[in-house]
Amino acid sequence: MEHRISNSLKILTEADKEACETVRVSENEPVTHKKRLFIESYGCQMNFADSEIVASVMREAGYATTSDVNDADLIFLNTCAIRENAEQKVRNRLVHLNFVKKKKAGALIGILGCMAERLKAQLLEEEQMVDIVAGPDSYRDLPHLVLEAETGQKGVNVFLSREETYADISPIRLNSNGVTALVSIMRGCDNMCSFCVVPFTRGRERSRDPFSIVKEADNLFRNGYREVTLLGQNVDSYKWQNQVKFAQLLEMVAKISPELRVRFSTSHPKDITDEVLYTIKKYDNICKYIHLPAQSGNSRVLDLMNRTYNREWYLERINSIRNILGEDCGISHDMISGFCTETEEEHQDSISLLEYVRFDFGYMFSYSERPGTLAAKKFKDDISAEVKQRRLAEIIEVQQRISLERNQRLIGTVQKVLVEGTSKRSENDFTGRIDQNKKVVFPRENFKKGDYVNVLITECTAATLKGKALVEVEAV
Ligand code: SAH
Ligand code: SF4
Ligand code: F3S
């Protein structure tokens, strides 16, 4: 899930939007930590999970976190490079941070994450106020880079590792709601989709030790958390020493407790197996929700994108999901409009795919050429911005209608909701999600965060369900 940016419109649930807000670190460290760190995160959930690792590394180095940027000795932006405007957003933010830095003598600014990795030292030339540039695999080195920057030298580490998974680092749960948590299970990506910058910014794919994953999830459960989301760019290619594949890992985490919900993201259509689908079916606490990016509904475009599946393959996987997990299984997608050479007919294939599958929701973008990618090298970015936007608007319109219809189907049903917190709109309402990842708002009554509540769904929009609690239930 990426940060919401203007020219890459997505339909987001309210829960997604909340998750996409930049993270501002809360103050909960002991007073012995004299220096203050402010972290702001952009981009996908992996980046948000990484910021929690960064906070942990910096705490060891004596930094407490702060939610007030003006109070910070150290300002980190954990950045995204997926589309051009994701980077523009960071550059705009830096203009403001320059003022902050001028007011506070000695304050340092670090750019972390995918934009740092993509631009490397060039970023220091382009943005003079930046003191530290650190790629996603160099976070253990941050204390050293900060020391270097304190002596007036710029600190740069953009080394990409084949092994680093930060398995032993216990993340500090930033701005946590105390109920749901992100758990990184792998890093990097080996897929080389032609439009995508991720393999260049995050390096080779590697899986994290399953026992450290289970330990982390178990600790979360013992500390009151009731949902973990297992994260990777392509979770279906998770593999540990040829013994544990994703299906087994899912099972290991699901067995921690039937009261711990398990989610995962992102699945790749070429790799998601029936074995994984049957494991999801077997455990009530593995959520019946799959995010299965399509990118296009046309086989020629999918081939140019180097997605390694075609329309028929994608639809066959959807049919398996529906056959094994039922019509109610939540399914969402990612779609790109206006990829190189896409014709109107091919664009219509994307729309007909939406109509056929009837996704619950989608994250939809117009194509943004990224320097260095296979598409940038091989193809011309020949669809005008106007056409890309018009096609995107058409895709969004269809998805909005289908999202509304899929939500309307649930009116009159009772859904089990995990309460995540108070609704942003009203103190008197709670918000939480159902199995299929749809957000529900309902009167809070005497329930509390972390409860599972049976809610009768009474109304909905394309993004949110509304209802009324029936009875509290103990377990999933
Ligand atoms: N690993 C995931 C996707 C991660 S990136 C997968 O394989 O599906 C998240 C989404 O951003 C992608 O699914 C794609 O829809 C979108 N995206 C990636 N690169 C893009 C680009 N250059 N222009 C527009 N959208 C892009
Ligand atoms: Fe990018 Fe493709 Fe890897 Fe997803 S699978 S991160 S779209 S290269
Ligand atoms: Fe962005 Fe990097 Fe994630 S490019 S989408 S933050 S992996």
Side-chain angles (χ1 to χ4, degrees):
M1 173 194 314
E2 294 70 48
H3 203 277
R4 198 171 198 203
I5 39 185
S6 55
N7 91 343
S8 49
L9 295 171
K10 306 168 176 188
I11 296 175
L12 297 172
T13 63
E14 287 304 312
D16 289 327
K17 282 189 206 156
E18 281 161 28
C20 284
E21 294 298 323
T22 50
V23 165
R24 290 191 169 79
V25 181
S26 62
E27 264 178 80
N28 53 3
E29 271 84 0
V31 281
T32 48
H33 291 77
K34 299 234 173 53
K35 293 195 170 175
R36 301 249 157 203
L37 163 68
F38 174 88
I39 306 187
E40 202 162 81
S41 307
Y42 298 80
C44 65
Q45 288 174 309
M46 303 269 330
N47 251 17
F48 283 74
D50 279 0
S51 290
E52 300 186 333
I53 288 169
V54 168
S56 180
V57 169
M58 293 312 296
R59 184 203 281 217
E60 290 298 308
Y63 280 81
T65 47
T66 175
S67 53
D68 179 2
V69 70
N70 296 300
D71 182 38
D73 303 287
L74 186 57
I75 300 166
F76 282 163
L77 301 187
N78 194 359
T79 62
C80 174
I82 201 85
R83 286 168 291 275
E84 193 182 345
N85 49 10
E87 292 193 0
Q88 196 51 50
K89 203 177 176 102
V90 171
R91 294 197 193 264
N92 296 343
R93 183 71 172 131
L94 281 172
V95 175
H96 173 72
L97 291 180
N98 205 15
F99 290 115
V100 175
K101 191 174 171 180
K102 281 188 177 143
K103 274 193 283 175
K104 178 144 185 174
L108 298 172
I109 297 181
I111 301 294
L112 278 48
C114 293
M115 186 178 169
E117 188 64 50
R118 191 180 84 75
L119 293 167
K120 304 187 170 57
Q122 185 190 332
L123 197 50
L124 295 173
E125 283 158 36
E126 290 170 2
E127 306 289 350
Q128 302 279 321
M129 78 294 274
V130 172
D131 303 287
I132 296 157
V133 172
D137 287 345
S138 69
Y139 297 151
R140 287 180 203 267
D141 194 31
L142 280 169
H144 165 246
L145 295 174
V146 171
L147 284 178
E148 221 168 71
E150 278 170 353
T151 67
Q153 288 177 324
K154 303 273 181 181
V156 182
N157 186 341
V158 287
F159 175 74
L160 283 174
S161 157
R162 279 176 177 256
E163 286 97 33
E164 181 63 271
T165 59
Y166 302 113
D168 57 315
I169 295 182
S170 182
I172 293 180
R173 305 289 164 187
L174 302 172
N175 268 9
S176 153
N177 59 14
V179 179
T180 62
L182 305 173
V183 176
S184 197
I185 63 164
M186 57 202 295
R187 302 181 71 80
C189 182
D190 283 349
N191 279 327
M192 297 306 275
C193 301
S194 65
F195 52 79
C196 186
V197 78
V198 172
F200 303 94
T201 62
R202 295 215 157 230
R204 300 303 298 268
E205 187 177 286
R206 66 220 97 120
S207 296
R208 177 180 167 190
D209 176 349
F211 302 102
S212 75
I213 296 170
V214 171
K215 191 170 156 213
E216 184 175 331
D218 188 58
N219 277 337
L220 285 163
F221 182 69
R222 285 169 203 270
N223 284 306
Y225 286 80
R226 289 294 172 265
E227 181 181 298
V228 290
T229 302
L230 308 180
L231 292 179
Q233 289 300 351
N234 179 3
V235 289
D236 302 288
S237 61
Y238 177 90
K239 192 169 71 185
W240 181 257
Q241 294 172 353
N242 284 330
Q243 288 160 8
V244 182
K245 290 192 295 179
F246 185 56
Q248 287 87 50
L249 178 72
L250 261 182
E251 189 149 22
M252 287 163 76
V253 179
K255 278 181 173 163
I256 290 172
S257 165
E259 282 197 61
L260 181 69
R261 268 187 179 176
V262 186
R263 296 188 186 277
F264 53 91
S265 186
T266 300
S267 305
H268 195 296
K270 83 170 157 61
D271 295 319
I272 188 166
T273 58
D274 286 355
E275 188 190 7
V276 166
L277 299 178
Y278 282 114
T279 307
I280 299 170
K281 184 184 163 95
K282 185 170 160 196
Y283 290 90
D284 280 346
N285 59 328
I286 304 181
C287 291
K288 309 296 172 276
Y289 163 66
I290 296 175
H291 180 56
L292 198 68
Q295 317 298 4
S296 167
N298 176 270
S299 296
R300 188 191 73 90
V301 176
L302 285 169
D303 186 40
L304 292 185
M305 287 175 162
N306 199 25
R307 288 289 288 180
T308 68
Y309 55 84
N310 57 19
R311 180 185 172 98
E312 289 66 41
W313 175 279
Y314 186 89
L315 292 178
E316 189 277 326
R317 291 288 76 211
I318 293 288
N319 289 341
S320 281
I321 294 171
R322 297 263 188 246
N323 288 338
I324 296 169
L325 296 171
E327 279 303 306
D328 282 338
C329 179
I331 310 180
S332 59
H333 68 94
D334 289 352
M335 195 68 88
I336 298 178
S337 76
F339 187 65
C340 313
T341 73
E342 182 190 67
T343 65
E344 281 305 321
E345 293 70 41
E346 289 166 342
H347 160 61
Q348 286 305 323
D349 285 344
S350 293
I351 295 209
S352 75
L353 189 91
L354 303 186
E355 296 280 10
Y356 177 87
V357 178
R358 302 187 61 72
F359 294 100
D360 291 274
F361 52 93
Y363 304 100
M364 294 154 281
F365 315 96
S366 61
Y367 173 59
S368 164
E369 185 178 84
R370 308 309 292 130
T373 55
L374 290 179
K377 286 184 190 153
K378 278 167 59 182
F379 313 126
K380 201 158 163 253
D381 183 13
D382 58 351
I383 309 298
S384 70
E386 293 70 37
V387 171
K388 283 179 188 170
Q389 285 307 313
R390 195 248 308 145
R391 289 181 188 170
L392 178 61
E394 287 171 10
I395 290 171
I396 289 172
E397 195 186 327
V398 171
Q399 184 55 57
Q400 283 274 31
R401 172 175 51 74
I402 296 170
S403 293
L404 179 63
E405 289 165 6
R406 288 281 295 174
N407 285 352
Q408 282 167 338
R409 288 175 75 235
L410 298 182
I411 291 177
T413 65
V414 176
Q415 300 289 329
K416 200 170 285 177
V417 177
L418 173 60
V419 181
E420 290 177 18
T422 308
S423 158
K424 275 198 172 168
R425 296 237 170 99
S426 162
E427 275 288 306
N428 301 324
D429 289 337
F430 263 148
T431 155
R433 275 172 300 148
I434 65 171
D435 210 12
Q436 299 107 296
N437 207 27
K438 292 176 193 281
K439 186 190 167 195
V440 184
V441 176
F442 65 98
R444 64 192 298 160
E445 299 175 52
N446 294 322
F447 298 105
K448 54 185 191 315
K449 270 201 316 185
D451 281 347
Y452 286 105
V453 181
N454 276 334
V455 175
L456 172 68
I457 307 301
T458 53
E459 48 182 309
C460 71
T461 63
T464 312
L465 304 172
K466 281 192 179 165
K468 169 116 188 52
L470 292 182
V471 280
E472 195 176 344
V473 289
E474 289 296 305
V476 185

